[in-house]
Amino acid sequence: MSATAYNEDEGFMPANTNTNLSKEEFAKYLSAAERGDPESQLFVGWAYQNGIATEKNKSNAALWYRKAAEKGNPKGMFNTGVCYGNGFGVEQDLAKAVEWYCKAADVGHTDAQLSLGWSYENGAGVEVNPELAVSFYKKAADAGNATAQFNLAVRYNLSSFILIL
């Protein structure tokens, strides 16, 4: 399980989400995705994940997220990591999840930074490393990620508690 809960019913929606999409409109997005447009690829992945104007298909969702990721789309990178982290449409592989989280984190994706913090804290796909966990939580927290702020506060509170004992 990654730090960011993966909800198969809602998923990670791209910015241009339209839940009232017709099959004809989906076909236009699919055509643009096939031509290599990363935002359309991300949207098509989301549509397959949620069954919007098409049948739900986890494998196709993961495929299109990865295509968006390979074009440099940060949300696509993160979603690809989530797919690997949760075995959604692909075989679960925590090390691959971390690789994709790293790529997204490198371009400032705060949920990827949060997920890396969780991964290093829990040894999911990487060796446990509390210092790196705090470092990634701090990056995400400094960028305004509320969950990372909470996780960081808990870590600081626990370390203060331990020092007092």
Side-chain angles (χ1 to χ4, degrees):
M1 186 69 184
S2 66
T4 303
Y6 190 71
N7 184 327
E8 290 185 26
D9 294 328
E10 296 176 16
F12 300 101
M13 299 197 294
N16 60 344
T17 305
N18 179 357
T19 58
N20 297 318
L21 197 69
S22 70
K23 290 188 184 292
E24 293 79 21
E25 291 169 317
F26 174 77
K28 290 177 184 177
Y29 277 104
L30 182 59
S31 177
E34 289 169 341
R35 288 192 309 273
D37 177 63
E39 285 297 319
S40 295
Q41 292 169 335
L42 181 69
F43 185 85
V44 167
W46 176 82
Y48 275 119
Q49 176 184 343
N50 294 287
I52 305 297
T54 188
E55 293 292 318
K56 280 187 179 184
N57 187 312
K58 293 177 184 182
S59 296
N60 281 346
L63 171 80
W64 285 106
Y65 285 148
R66 182 158 184 158
K67 286 180 183 276
E70 289 170 347
K71 290 282 189 171
N73 183 291
K75 290 179 185 177
M77 293 173 195
F78 174 68
N79 287 0
T80 299
V82 172
C83 287
Y84 279 112
N86 292 282
F88 182 88
V90 295
E91 187 173 329
Q92 186 175 35
D93 185 330
L94 298 179
K96 281 187 182 178
V98 168
E99 288 176 28
W100 284 106
Y101 293 151
C102 283
K103 290 177 184 187
D106 285 347
V107 293
H109 195 285
T110 63
D111 285 332
Q113 293 164 343
L114 171 67
S115 293
L116 283 171
W118 187 90
S119 296
Y120 279 107
E121 181 178 2
N122 294 285
V126 292
E127 293 291 320
V128 171
N129 186 324
E131 292 81 16
L132 274 176
V134 167
S135 172
F136 281 110
Y137 285 146
K138 186 163 178 12
K139 284 181 186 180
D142 288 347
N145 185 296
T147 303
Q149 292 167 348
F150 174 80
N151 288 359
L152 196 57
V154 168
R155 287 346 156 261
Y156 285 144
N157 194 27
L158 287 176
S159 66
S160 296
F161 178 75
I162 293 168
L163 292 175
I164 294 170
L165 293 178

